[in-house]
Amino acid sequence: MSEQKRAAVILAAGKGTRMKSERAKVLHPLAGQPLAAYPARLARALGCDPSVLVVGHQAAEVEQALGGEGLHFALQQEQLGTGHALLCAADALRGFSGDLLLLCGDVPLIRRETLERLLAYHAAEGAAVTVLTAEMVDPKGYGRIVRDGAEVLRIVEEKDASQKEKLIREINTGLYVFEAPFVFEALRGVGRDNAQNEYYLTDVVAAARVAGKKVRALSVADPAEAMGINDRVQLAEAGRILRTRINQAHMLAGVSLVDPACTYIDAGVEIGAETLIHPNVHLRGATRVGPGCEIEPGAVISDSVLGAGVHVKAGTVMSEARIGDACALGPMAHLRPGTVLKGRNKLGNFVETKKATFDEKAQASHLTYIGDAEVGKNVNIGCGTITCNYDGVNKYQTIIEDDVFVGSDTQFVAPVRIGRGSLIGAGSTITKDVPAGALALSRAEQKTIEGWAERKRAKQKKS
Ligand code: UD1
Ligand code: CA
């Protein structure tokens, strides 16, 4: 491999004991993505090839969750420390010579520009080890940078630090650039004679100095970037920081957030300009919202695509739905997976849909369930209409062609097809296909007995 190459190792084998969780720490979600997805994506964006994720605790689950990120995986059977973890990636990097970026699965807030600065500084200095550091107001728990002026002498862990060293506020972010393959040689000489009886990656600093190599440190301007997630308090705090970043980026791109502190937008969600988002809205997963939309309080939108000018009213929930331009939804509509609205549709309060396509301008304004259905253009579905799509074993289709008018309180017992332009009388249970242009009614004729109620009341008074 050529000299200029760049590779990455991401450490993610630890259990994360302080999370008090059955789930591996790096799988805990932050703005909708597992923690380890953040360093994984940065490594890829920086052109690191290969990027090796060191897995151990819940290795299979971690590999599955991050399978789509273009990573190689290396297994660390037993978690013997960060130094041992990097050594476990040595095989995957056999023959690699160049800059090795070391990231941590539990340090998700670091910015791409900061890592670019780190790589550039490492190259400019001709260093063998360049550690990214930060000045922390409260350095507790982190490794401390022990310097002699500009020289980095060593890194000492909190648990091994003297009282004097504990006062040092410059900490190790746990992110580095190393010269490979030198770092692997250096690590093979590192022991575990320390408070935690672990192989410390931080000990390569001292090892590099002994080998006569240059060690450098670069301090990150914003210490929030360096935050390591060890417990759920820090996870929530990181969520708040990331949310602020995400929301600011949307606002600067032309999206209005009434109260950004109470707006929950996952990383990777796209929103068009001039869209207005009210408080307590959640936009999750692979959601894309078009321009000029309005999303009212309490809407929860997951993995859905919304066109332009869509009005989502309060309390509406949708997932895996595709919404065309100028639709109005809710309040309190429930659009389940497979809902497709072609455009200018209206689904009103307490309307539930699933695997249902509504062609342009078709609408259902109140209290309706439409599942496994195709609804044609301009169809009007009256209040209380239900598709009876399920017989306890199988699901069946309801097809309603263009320009049909469905009276209120209709049940469509699927499979059934309603021909174009026909009319369904209110209160009907439709079990048979209806031809185009017909009127279908299925209800007992009304019986009216004049004077009956008056006579009954008169009788009751006498007795
Ligand atoms: C580490 C650093 C510390 C630094 C801090 C920054 C060492 C010895 N200490 O401490 O100087 O200030 O990060 O956050 O390196 N991991 C493995 N295998 C292991 C042990 C850890 O893969 O055997 C992974 C963890 O999953 C985690 C990362 O390495 O992603 C850091 O491990 P952690 O135990 O959190 O190290 P810290 O004690 O925080
Ligand atoms: Ca940590």
Side-chain angles (χ1 to χ4, degrees), residues 115-257:
L115 295 177
E116 270 165 358
R117 268 179 57 223
L118 185 70
L119 285 156
Y121 184 66
H122 178 84
E125 292 290 308
V129 177
T130 304
V131 52
L132 186 69
T133 69
E135 289 282 339
M136 291 282 186
V137 181
D138 178 14
K140 194 159 182 290
Y142 291 97
R144 308 296 208 283
I145 306 295
V146 182
R147 287 177 181 260
D148 180 9
E151 287 287 297
V152 177
L153 301 181
R154 61 195 182 95
I155 300 173
V156 60
E157 291 305 293
E158 167 98 19
K159 286 180 178 144
D160 301 291
S162 66
Q163 283 310 319
K164 200 174 150 218
E165 285 166 336
K166 280 185 184 155
L167 297 176
I168 298 172
R169 284 175 38 193
E170 188 183 11
I171 62 96
N172 173 22
T173 62
L175 313 184
Y176 319 76
V177 182
F178 294 122
E179 175 191 319
F182 166 75
V183 67
F184 294 109
E185 292 155 28
L187 273 174
R188 287 189 184 98
V190 164
R192 59 199 288 191
D193 179 17
N194 53 54
Q196 304 185 77
N197 196 28
E198 283 182 0
Y199 297 97
Y200 286 169
L201 180 52
T202 44
D203 285 350
V204 298
V205 168
R209 288 179 55 80
V210 170
K213 298 268 192 177
K214 272 192 195 171
V215 179
R216 290 290 179 269
L218 183 74
S219 193
V220 56
D222 175 9
E225 283 187 46
M227 192 177 169
I229 312 298
N230 296 314
D231 59 37
R232 295 185 199 238
V233 176
Q234 291 167 327
L235 182 64
E237 173 66 6
R240 196 187 56 75
I241 294 168
L242 192 56
R243 220 159 36 239
T244 302
R245 277 191 203 171
I246 290 170
N247 290 351
Q248 281 181 358
H250 286 301
M251 289 187 284
L252 292 173
V255 178
S256 283
L257 306 183

Side-chain angles (χ1 to χ4, degrees), residues 247-278:
N247 290 351
Q248 281 181 358
H250 286 301
M251 289 187 284
L252 292 173
V255 178
S256 283
L257 306 183
V258 173
D259 185 358
C262 301
T263 306
Y264 305 85
I265 303 173
D266 278 358
V269 167
E270 294 172 24
I271 310 173
E274 304 284 9
T275 284
L276 168 62
I277 300 181
H278 292 269

Side-chain angles (χ1 to χ4, degrees), residues 268-332:
V269 167
E270 294 172 24
I271 310 173
E274 304 284 9
T275 284
L276 168 62
I277 300 181
H278 292 269
N280 274 315
V281 166
H282 295 250
L283 302 180
R284 296 179 176 162
T287 292
R288 294 202 322 259
V289 177
C293 294
E294 179 170 359
I295 306 183
E296 291 187 4
V300 180
I301 302 177
S302 309
D303 301 313
S304 295
V305 179
L306 282 64
V310 175
H311 187 181
V312 180
K313 297 180 192 170
T316 292
V317 174
M318 78 178 87
S319 56
E320 295 173 46
R322 303 180 77 84
I323 311 300
D325 295 345
C327 290
L329 309 171
M332 287 165 286

